[in-house]
Every structure is written in C-alpha cells, then in structure tokens.
Amino acid sequence: MSAIVTILAGILFGLGLAFAEMTNPAVVLGFLDILGNWNPSLIIVMASAIAVGMLGYIIKKKQLKPLLSHSWQVPVMRQIDAKLIIGAILFGIGWGLSGYCPGPGLTALVNNPAEGFYFVIALIIGSGLHHLQSLSSQK
C-alpha cells in the first residue's frame, strides 16, 4: 500500500508541476528576471507548497502515527551549517542557469529531450560526487 501511495503522490506532484508550468524553464527563468519580463507565477506555486506542508504538520499534531507507517518521519536536524549553505547556493545557481530543478528536470527528458538529457546527466554526476564525498568523510 505504501508503494501505491508513493506512486500516486509522485503522479500528483508531477501533474501539479505540469499544470503550474514549472516544467517549462522559461517560466522559472521569467520569475528570476525581476528587471525584465517578470513572471510571478512561481510565488503561487511556492505558497501552495508551503500550505500543503503546513497542513501536513497540522495533521501530524492531531494523529499519533500516520495511516500507512508505524511512525512519523520528520526532519530533526535544525542546524544551519556550511554544507547546507553551500548546497543551497549550488542548487540555486544550477536552477537559475538551467531553469530546471530535479522534478521538472526529469520531465524534460520527455518534453525537451535535448536539454533534459544534459540536465539529468549533470544531476546524476553531481549526486554521485556528493555520495563519494559523503563516503570519504565517514572514514
């Protein structure tokens, strides 16, 4: 049942991204172009995501455990460290240069394969480098 809910959540997330046109890098880059042809639609998407997240926390407070798991899995780390800041900066630079973040970047394999291929390859390489770095820092 957990796998079905996960798949349905992924489909719903993808449909939401497509409906909001977040799979179109021109829309995202338009949001970042505050001195040119600014497109504020990303603010609505972000506000909607925050509202859904807040709803999740409200539900968590009212229920002892989730319906399909034995316990809530909520991030516990509250520390803002150099790794978090550097990661956020790299994410933002990549998003600003390409117009893609990971979710819409994967949809680009279908919508815009020429760009999507390069984005996904870079995503895999970056994830692999992070994994290698994590392994070496644990030793």
Side-chain angles (χ1 to χ4, degrees):
M1 187 65 163
S2 180
I4 292 170
V5 171
T6 300
I7 290 169
L8 291 175
I11 290 170
L12 181 62
F13 178 69
L15 288 172
L17 288 175
F19 180 74
E21 291 193 59
M22 293 299 110
T23 58
N24 180 355
V27 172
V28 175
L29 294 174
F31 173 75
L32 299 173
D33 187 10
I34 57 174
L35 299 177
N37 190 17
W38 187 58
N39 181 348
S41 62
L42 187 56
I43 291 172
I44 296 166
V45 174
M46 288 181 188
S48 300
I50 291 168
V52 170
M54 289 174 64
L55 180 62
Y57 277 98
I58 290 169
I59 291 170
K60 180 194 173 290
K61 283 186 176 184
K62 293 187 180 208
Q63 286 186 236
L64 293 176
K65 69 181 196 92
L67 296 175
L68 300 174
S69 182
H70 61 285
S71 65
W72 292 103
Q73 297 178 15
V74 179
V76 293
M77 186 172 167
R78 303 249 189 259
Q79 178 184 356
I80 297 175
D81 59 3
K83 285 171 42 176
L84 176 66
I85 293 170
I86 292 168
I89 290 169
L90 290 173
F91 180 90
I93 290 170
W95 194 17
L97 289 174
S98 69
Y100 292 117
C101 67
L106 292 174
T107 66
L109 288 173
V110 175
N111 299 347
N112 190 355
E115 285 183 13
F117 173 78
Y118 293 111
F119 176 83
V120 171
I121 292 299
L123 179 67
I124 291 168
I125 291 169
S127 296
L129 290 172
H130 175 266
H131 181 71
L132 289 173
Q133 186 271 332
S134 295
L135 288 176
S136 67
S137 67
Q138 289 177 358
K139 292 180 180 180

